Amino acid sequence: MKNLKLKAARAAKDMSQQELAELAGVSRQTINAIEKGDYNPTIKLCIAICRALDRTLDEIFWEE
Amino acid sequence: MMKFLSLLVPVILCIVVVYEVSRSLAHADHDERQRLIRGKAFTAAFYAVTGLDALIILLYSMGITIMSAEVLAALHLYLGVIVSAVYCAVKDAYFSPSDFKSPYRYPLVLGIIGILNLIGGIIQAKAGGIIENGMLTNRCFGLLIGLSFCFLAVVFLVRAIKIKNEPEEDEQ
């Protein structure tokens, strides 16, 4: 399932996938795979992404 | 002079390879998705080598021997490396995030090694002795290494071009 919340949060910060990837310490392809729902990140990477976007885990990764 | 040159070329190549490998290892910061894929690549390489074993055993049981033991050992090694590297490259797990800044380094180094080996292999092929008694002999190593490295260089080059040119949101 696509992670549209992540994409929206990234767009809200006017951040490219590459910029987010560098802040989270991963490759751009990994951020792309998470947004497309092709890869389930570990909690460690989820936290790194949330910190980079100034959001909580719930806001980015919790599905209603 | 020729002897000196023939010694100098492999020494320079070794220095370049050792430098590149040590630089790669120093920056081997693959992320978690890439490490996961690299694990799967090793599994794929293992199955490929096992499949080759099965094929060779089948041929041997039918009384067909197509290569010497040395060539067979080398073929196992190259097949495993190729399957693993191609699997990683296709899934964007070969280059670490820091390598993405200069992805053309890998195809360049592999291409140079491949072409040099290919030239040596072709020279040996022309001299003869690659096939003796219907079996590939260890004189085919140059061709084998050359073809393997050239194939990897082409795969890496295609991936490097794709990495450099793909639009961010519509990848794959």
Side-chain angles (χ1 to χ4, degrees):
Chain A
M1 187 184 287
K2 282 189 177 183
N3 191 333
L4 297 174
K5 289 179 181 176
L6 173 57
K7 199 170 182 173
R10 182 173 60 76
K13 282 220 126 194
D14 199 21
M15 206 182 266
S16 67
Q17 284 183 341
Q18 182 63 46
E19 287 165 339
L20 177 58
E22 281 170 17
L23 284 171
V26 294
S27 66
R28 181 173 64 78
Q29 284 77 5
T30 298
I31 296 295
N32 191 54
I34 296 167
E35 286 187 358
K36 284 167 63 183
D38 290 343
Y39 173 65
N40 281 326
T42 61
I43 191 70
K44 191 181 169 190
L45 179 53
C46 290
I47 291 169
I49 289 170
C50 288
R51 286 205 170 126
L53 294 171
D54 292 322
R55 299 290 180 99
T56 63
L57 281 169
D58 277 6
E59 285 172 329
I60 303 286
F61 293 103
W62 189 256
E63 287 171 15
E64 300 295 328
Chain B
M1 185 65 184
M2 278 303 287
K3 265 192 174 178
F4 174 72
L5 278 177
S6 63
L7 278 174
L8 196 64
V9 171
V11 168
I12 290 171
L13 267 179
C14 282
I15 291 168
V16 170
V17 169
V18 167
Y19 173 73
E20 282 297 325
V21 169
S22 57
R23 211 166 77 149
S24 302
L25 288 175
H27 295 95
D29 50 352
H30 295 96
D31 65 38
E32 56 180 46
R33 182 191 64 89
Q34 291 177 316
R35 283 198 291 267
L36 194 72
I37 290 168
R38 289 169 81 84
K40 287 179 183 172
F42 286 125
T43 309
F46 171 76
Y47 284 126
V49 170
T50 308
L52 176 67
D53 262 340
L55 181 70
I56 296 295
I57 290 167
L58 183 72
L59 289 173
Y60 188 76
S61 66
M62 291 162 69
I64 304 166
T65 312
I66 53 172
M67 60 189 82
S68 67
E70 297 98 329
V71 178
L72 185 60
L75 193 64
H76 275 88
L77 183 67
Y78 298 137
L79 181 70
V81 169
I82 287 173
V83 169
S84 169
V86 170
Y87 189 99
C88 287
V90 168
K91 304 259 182 184
D92 287 321
Y94 195 89
F95 304 119
S96 66
S98 56
D99 289 331
F100 279 113
K101 287 164 192 161
S102 55
Y104 292 112
R105 244 173 355 111
Y106 287 90
L108 183 71
V109 172
L110 288 172
I112 290 169
I113 296 170
I115 288 167
L116 287 176
N117 275 287
L118 212 53
I119 291 167
I122 290 166
I123 291 168
Q124 275 210 322
K126 281 189 174 172
I130 280 191
I131 298 173
E132 278 177 4
N133 303 323
M135 283 198 303
L136 279 171
T137 65
N138 53 15
R139 283 172 182 263
C140 72
F141 279 156
L143 276 177
L144 199 61
I145 297 169
L147 288 172
S148 308
F149 275 67
C150 284
F151 174 69
L152 284 180
V154 170
V155 171
F156 282 25
L157 184 64
V158 170
R159 290 309 298 173
I161 290 168
K162 197 176 174 220
I163 285 166
K164 281 283 178 189
N165 298 326
E166 67 199 351
E168 185 167 287
E169 304 296 331
D170 303 322
E171 188 199 342
Q172 290 179 346

PDB file of all heavy atoms in Angstrom, chain A residues 7-32:
ATOM      1  N   LYS A   7       4.641  10.981   1.618  1.00  0.00           N
ATOM      2  CA  LYS A   7       4.830  11.824   0.433  1.00  0.00           C
ATOM      3  C   LYS A   7       4.301  13.242   0.714  1.00  0.00           C
ATOM      4  O   LYS A   7       4.948  14.236   0.364  1.00  0.00           O
ATOM      5  CB  LYS A   7       4.091  11.191  -0.750  1.00  0.00           C
ATOM      6  CG  LYS A   7       4.559  11.683  -2.093  1.00  0.00           C
ATOM      7  CD  LYS A   7       3.940  10.825  -3.186  1.00  0.00           C
ATOM      8  CE  LYS A   7       4.442  11.269  -4.547  1.00  0.00           C
ATOM      9  NZ  LYS A   7       4.005  10.391  -5.602  1.00  0.00           N
ATOM     10  N   ALA A   8       3.138  13.295   1.368  1.00  0.00           N
ATOM     11  CA  ALA A   8       2.515  14.596   1.666  1.00  0.00           C
ATOM     12  C   ALA A   8       3.361  15.383   2.666  1.00  0.00           C
ATOM     13  O   ALA A   8       3.576  16.601   2.497  1.00  0.00           O
ATOM     14  CB  ALA A   8       1.111  14.372   2.212  1.00  0.00           C
ATOM     15  N   ALA A   9       3.868  14.691   3.688  1.00  0.00           N
ATOM     16  CA  ALA A   9       4.691  15.356   4.706  1.00  0.00           C
ATOM     17  C   ALA A   9       5.984  15.878   4.097  1.00  0.00           C
ATOM     18  O   ALA A   9       6.451  16.973   4.427  1.00  0.00           O
ATOM     19  CB  ALA A   9       4.998  14.376   5.839  1.00  0.00           C
ATOM     20  N   ARG A  10       6.528  15.094   3.198  1.00  0.00           N
ATOM     21  CA  ARG A  10       7.769  15.514   2.517  1.00  0.00           C
ATOM     22  C   ARG A  10       7.493  16.731   1.634  1.00  0.00           C
ATOM     23  O   ARG A  10       8.254  17.707   1.630  1.00  0.00           O
ATOM     24  CB  ARG A  10       8.309  14.341   1.692  1.00  0.00           C
ATOM     25  CG  ARG A  10       9.594  14.613   0.978  1.00  0.00           C
ATOM     26  CD  ARG A  10      10.142  13.355   0.327  1.00  0.00           C
ATOM     27  NE  ARG A  10       9.229  12.771  -0.659  1.00  0.00           N
ATOM     28  CZ  ARG A  10       9.042  13.258  -1.872  1.00  0.00           C
ATOM     29  NH1 ARG A  10       9.678  14.341  -2.256  1.00  0.00           N
ATOM     30  NH2 ARG A  10       8.206  12.662  -2.719  1.00  0.00           N
ATOM     31  N   ALA A  11       6.381  16.670   0.930  1.00  0.00           N
ATOM     32  CA  ALA A  11       6.019  17.786   0.046  1.00  0.00           C
ATOM     33  C   ALA A  11       5.735  19.047   0.858  1.00  0.00           C
ATOM     34  O   ALA A  11       6.083  20.159   0.446  1.00  0.00           O
ATOM     35  CB  ALA A  11       4.814  17.402  -0.793  1.00  0.00           C
ATOM     36  N   ALA A  12       5.110  18.858   2.039  1.00  0.00           N
ATOM     37  CA  ALA A  12       4.797  20.002   2.900  1.00  0.00           C
ATOM     38  C   ALA A  12       6.069  20.708   3.364  1.00  0.00           C
ATOM     39  O   ALA A  12       6.072  21.918   3.592  1.00  0.00           O
ATOM     40  CB  ALA A  12       3.987  19.531   4.101  1.00  0.00           C
ATOM     41  N   LYS A  13       7.131  19.935   3.502  1.00  0.00           N
ATOM     42  CA  LYS A  13       8.415  20.535   3.919  1.00  0.00           C
ATOM     43  C   LYS A  13       9.234  20.983   2.708  1.00  0.00           C
ATOM     44  O   LYS A  13      10.395  21.397   2.855  1.00  0.00           O
ATOM     45  CB  LYS A  13       9.232  19.504   4.710  1.00  0.00           C
ATOM     46  CG  LYS A  13       8.748  19.343   6.133  1.00  0.00           C
ATOM     47  CD  LYS A  13       9.913  19.206   7.068  1.00  0.00           C
ATOM     48  CE  LYS A  13       9.865  20.180   8.175  1.00  0.00           C
ATOM     49  NZ  LYS A  13      11.057  20.352   8.933  1.00  0.00           N
ATOM     50  N   ASP A  14       8.633  20.838   1.525  1.00  0.00           N
ATOM     51  CA  ASP A  14       9.294  21.212   0.277  1.00  0.00           C
ATOM     52  C   ASP A  14      10.645  20.493   0.137  1.00  0.00           C
ATOM     53  O   ASP A  14      11.676  21.097  -0.170  1.00  0.00           O
ATOM     54  CB  ASP A  14       9.487  22.734   0.222  1.00  0.00           C
ATOM     55  CG  ASP A  14       9.725  23.194  -1.217  1.00  0.00           C
ATOM     56  OD1 ASP A  14       9.352  22.444  -2.133  1.00  0.00           O
ATOM     57  OD2 ASP A  14      10.293  24.282  -1.412  1.00  0.00           O
ATOM     58  N   MET A  15      10.592  19.191   0.413  1.00  0.00           N
ATOM     59  CA  MET A  15      11.811  18.389   0.452  1.00  0.00           C
ATOM     60  C   MET A  15      11.770  17.352  -0.678  1.00  0.00           C
ATOM     61  O   MET A  15      10.712  16.769  -0.922  1.00  0.00           O
ATOM     62  CB  MET A  15      11.859  17.672   1.811  1.00  0.00           C
ATOM     63  CG  MET A  15      13.226  17.319   2.311  1.00  0.00           C
ATOM     64  SD  MET A  15      13.078  16.449   3.878  1.00  0.00           S
ATOM     65  CE  MET A  15      13.259  17.782   5.025  1.00  0.00           C
ATOM     66  N   SER A  16      12.877  17.151  -1.335  1.00  0.00           N
ATOM     67  CA  SER A  16      12.928  16.111  -2.371  1.00  0.00           C
ATOM     68  C   SER A  16      13.217  14.762  -1.714  1.00  0.00           C
ATOM     69  O   SER A  16      13.637  14.712  -0.552  1.00  0.00           O
ATOM     70  CB  SER A  16      14.016  16.431  -3.391  1.00  0.00           C
ATOM     71  OG  SER A  16      15.273  16.340  -2.774  1.00  0.00           O
ATOM     72  N   GLN A  17      13.011  13.707  -2.476  1.00  0.00           N
ATOM     73  CA  GLN A  17      13.327  12.367  -1.955  1.00  0.00           C
ATOM     74  C   GLN A  17      14.812  12.281  -1.602  1.00  0.00           C
ATOM     75  O   GLN A  17      15.185  11.673  -0.598  1.00  0.00           O
ATOM     76  CB  GLN A  17      12.988  11.302  -3.004  1.00  0.00           C
ATOM     77  CG  GLN A  17      11.511  11.012  -3.130  1.00  0.00           C
ATOM     78  CD  GLN A  17      11.231   9.904  -4.130  1.00  0.00           C
ATOM     79  OE1 GLN A  17      12.058   9.579  -4.970  1.00  0.00           O
ATOM     80  NE2 GLN A  17      10.033   9.342  -4.055  1.00  0.00           N
ATOM     81  N   GLN A  18      15.638  12.886  -2.426  1.00  0.00           N
ATOM     82  CA  GLN A  18      17.082  12.851  -2.198  1.00  0.00           C
ATOM     83  C   GLN A  18      17.449  13.543  -0.883  1.00  0.00           C
ATOM     84  O   GLN A  18      18.246  13.032  -0.095  1.00  0.00           O
ATOM     85  CB  GLN A  18      17.809  13.522  -3.367  1.00  0.00           C
ATOM     86  CG  GLN A  18      19.322  13.496  -3.272  1.00  0.00           C
ATOM     87  CD  GLN A  18      19.898  12.097  -3.291  1.00  0.00           C
ATOM     88  OE1 GLN A  18      19.515  11.266  -4.112  1.00  0.00           O
ATOM     89  NE2 GLN A  18      20.797  11.803  -2.377  1.00  0.00           N
ATOM     90  N   GLU A  19      16.819  14.691  -0.647  1.00  0.00           N
ATOM     91  CA  GLU A  19      17.111  15.438   0.588  1.00  0.00           C
ATOM     92  C   GLU A  19      16.669  14.649   1.818  1.00  0.00           C
ATOM     93  O   GLU A  19      17.384  14.563   2.810  1.00  0.00           O
ATOM     94  CB  GLU A  19      16.415  16.805   0.547  1.00  0.00           C
ATOM     95  CG  GLU A  19      17.087  17.779  -0.412  1.00  0.00           C
ATOM     96  CD  GLU A  19      16.231  18.993  -0.742  1.00  0.00           C
ATOM     97  OE1 GLU A  19      14.985  18.930  -0.582  1.00  0.00           O
ATOM     98  OE2 GLU A  19      16.805  19.995  -1.179  1.00  0.00           O
ATOM     99  N   LEU A  20      15.481  14.068   1.726  1.00  0.00           N
ATOM    100  CA  LEU A  20      14.995  13.258   2.855  1.00  0.00           C
ATOM    101  C   LEU A  20      15.897  12.039   3.063  1.00  0.00           C
ATOM    102  O   LEU A  20      16.222  11.681   4.201  1.00  0.00           O
ATOM    103  CB  LEU A  20      13.543  12.816   2.598  1.00  0.00           C
ATOM    104  CG  LEU A  20      12.932  11.893   3.655  1.00  0.00           C
ATOM    105  CD1 LEU A  20      12.959  12.533   5.034  1.00  0.00           C
ATOM    106  CD2 LEU A  20      11.493  11.524   3.290  1.00  0.00           C
ATOM    107  N   ALA A  21      16.302  11.427   1.944  1.00  0.00           N
ATOM    108  CA  ALA A  21      17.172  10.250   2.032  1.00  0.00           C
ATOM    109  C   ALA A  21      18.478  10.595   2.745  1.00  0.00           C
ATOM    110  O   ALA A  21      18.951   9.832   3.585  1.00  0.00           O
ATOM    111  CB  ALA A  21      17.454   9.712   0.631  1.00  0.00           C
ATOM    112  N   GLU A  22      19.044  11.738   2.395  1.00  0.00           N
ATOM    113  CA  GLU A  22      20.313  12.137   3.023  1.00  0.00           C
ATOM    114  C   GLU A  22      20.129  12.399   4.517  1.00  0.00           C
ATOM    115  O   GLU A  22      20.979  12.031   5.326  1.00  0.00           O
ATOM    116  CB  GLU A  22      20.866  13.382   2.320  1.00  0.00           C
ATOM    117  CG  GLU A  22      21.562  13.008   1.004  1.00  0.00           C
ATOM    118  CD  GLU A  22      21.926  14.207   0.152  1.00  0.00           C
ATOM    119  OE1 GLU A  22      21.940  15.328   0.672  1.00  0.00           O
ATOM    120  OE2 GLU A  22      22.177  14.000  -1.048  1.00  0.00           O
ATOM    121  N   LEU A  23      18.995  13.008   4.875  1.00  0.00           N
ATOM    122  CA  LEU A  23      18.740  13.270   6.304  1.00  0.00           C
ATOM    123  C   LEU A  23      18.507  11.968   7.073  1.00  0.00           C
ATOM    124  O   LEU A  23      18.911  11.839   8.225  1.00  0.00           O
ATOM    125  CB  LEU A  23      17.517  14.186   6.454  1.00  0.00           C
ATOM    126  CG  LEU A  23      17.752  15.674   6.120  1.00  0.00           C
ATOM    127  CD1 LEU A  23      16.430  16.414   6.105  1.00  0.00           C
ATOM    128  CD2 LEU A  23      18.688  16.309   7.130  1.00  0.00           C
ATOM    129  N   ALA A  24      17.861  11.009   6.414  1.00  0.00           N
ATOM    130  CA  ALA A  24      17.567   9.733   7.084  1.00  0.00           C
ATOM    131  C   ALA A  24      18.717   8.735   6.974  1.00  0.00           C
ATOM    132  O   ALA A  24      18.679   7.669   7.593  1.00  0.00           O
ATOM    133  CB  ALA A  24      16.296   9.130   6.491  1.00  0.00           C
ATOM    134  N   GLY A  25      19.703   9.053   6.145  1.00  0.00           N
ATOM    135  CA  GLY A  25      20.868   8.181   5.995  1.00  0.00           C
ATOM    136  C   GLY A  25      20.612   6.943   5.154  1.00  0.00           C
ATOM    137  O   GLY A  25      21.181   5.879   5.411  1.00  0.00           O
ATOM    138  N   VAL A  26      19.745   7.077   4.158  1.00  0.00           N
ATOM    139  CA  VAL A  26      19.473   5.951   3.251  1.00  0.00           C
ATOM    140  C   VAL A  26      19.571   6.436   1.804  1.00  0.00           C
ATOM    141  O   VAL A  26      19.805   7.621   1.561  1.00  0.00           O
ATOM    142  CB  VAL A  26      18.067   5.340   3.498  1.00  0.00           C
ATOM    143  CG1 VAL A  26      17.983   4.695   4.860  1.00  0.00           C
ATOM    144  CG2 VAL A  26      16.973   6.385   3.329  1.00  0.00           C
ATOM    145  N   SER A  27      19.364   5.513   0.871  1.00  0.00           N
ATOM    146  CA  SER A  27      19.397   5.900  -0.541  1.00  0.00           C
ATOM    147  C   SER A  27      18.030   6.457  -0.963  1.00  0.00           C
ATOM    148  O   SER A  27      17.013   6.162  -0.324  1.00  0.00           O
ATOM    149  CB  SER A  27      19.759   4.691  -1.409  1.00  0.00           C
ATOM    150  OG  SER A  27      18.736   3.728  -1.331  1.00  0.00           O
ATOM    151  N   ARG A  28      18.049   7.249  -2.046  1.00  0.00           N
ATOM    152  CA  ARG A  28      16.790   7.816  -2.541  1.00  0.00           C
ATOM    153  C   ARG A  28      15.835   6.707  -2.969  1.00  0.00           C
ATOM    154  O   ARG A  28      14.619   6.805  -2.800  1.00  0.00           O
ATOM    155  CB  ARG A  28      17.080   8.735  -3.731  1.00  0.00           C
ATOM    156  CG  ARG A  28      15.851   9.398  -4.312  1.00  0.00           C
ATOM    157  CD  ARG A  28      16.239  10.413  -5.355  1.00  0.00           C
ATOM    158  NE  ARG A  28      16.880   9.834  -6.506  1.00  0.00           N
ATOM    159  CZ  ARG A  28      16.224   9.210  -7.480  1.00  0.00           C
ATOM    160  NH1 ARG A  28      14.924   9.090  -7.425  1.00  0.00           N
ATOM    161  NH2 ARG A  28      16.866   8.703  -8.509  1.00  0.00           N
ATOM    162  N   GLN A  29      16.407   5.621  -3.499  1.00  0.00           N
ATOM    163  CA  GLN A  29      15.576   4.502  -3.943  1.00  0.00           C
ATOM    164  C   GLN A  29      14.811   3.882  -2.779  1.00  0.00           C
ATOM    165  O   GLN A  29      13.696   3.386  -2.957  1.00  0.00           O
ATOM    166  CB  GLN A  29      16.450   3.432  -4.619  1.00  0.00           C
ATOM    167  CG  GLN A  29      16.897   3.775  -6.024  1.00  0.00           C
ATOM    168  CD  GLN A  29      18.032   4.791  -6.071  1.00  0.00           C
ATOM    169  OE1 GLN A  29      18.574   5.187  -5.049  1.00  0.00           O
ATOM    170  NE2 GLN A  29      18.400   5.222  -7.267  1.00  0.00           N
ATOM    171  N   THR A  30      15.400   3.919  -1.592  1.00  0.00           N
ATOM    172  CA  THR A  30      14.723   3.359  -0.417  1.00  0.00           C
ATOM    173  C   THR A  30      13.530   4.231  -0.017  1.00  0.00           C
ATOM    174  O   THR A  30      12.445   3.709   0.285  1.00  0.00           O
ATOM    175  CB  THR A  30      15.729   3.211   0.751  1.00  0.00           C
ATOM    176  OG1 THR A  30      16.745   2.294   0.342  1.00  0.00           O
ATOM    177  CG2 THR A  30      15.063   2.691   2.010  1.00  0.00           C
ATOM    178  N   ILE A  31      13.721   5.551  -0.036  1.00  0.00           N
ATOM    179  CA  ILE A  31      12.602   6.455   0.263  1.00  0.00           C
ATOM    180  C   ILE A  31      11.492   6.250  -0.776  1.00  0.00           C
ATOM    181  O   ILE A  31      10.306   6.169  -0.436  1.00  0.00           O
ATOM    182  CB  ILE A  31      13.082   7.931   0.251  1.00  0.00           C
ATOM    183  CG1 ILE A  31      14.105   8.164   1.370  1.00  0.00           C
ATOM    184  CG2 ILE A  31      11.891   8.887   0.386  1.00  0.00           C
ATOM    185  CD1 ILE A  31      13.587   8.028   2.788  1.00  0.00           C
ATOM    186  N   ASN A  32      11.907   6.122  -2.017  1.00  0.00           N
ATOM    187  CA  ASN A  32      10.950   5.895  -3.103  1.00  0.00           C
ATOM    188  C   ASN A  32      10.164   4.595  -2.876  1.00  0.00           C
ATOM    189  O   ASN A  32       8.944   4.549  -3.043  1.00  0.00           O
ATOM    190  CB  ASN A  32      11.709   5.839  -4.429  1.00  0.00           C
ATOM    191  CG  ASN A  32      10.769   5.873  -5.610  1.00  0.00           C
ATOM    192  OD1 ASN A  32       9.946   6.763  -5.724  1.00  0.00           O
ATOM    193  ND2 ASN A  32      10.885   4.886  -6.466  1.00  0.00           N
TER     194      ASN A  32
END
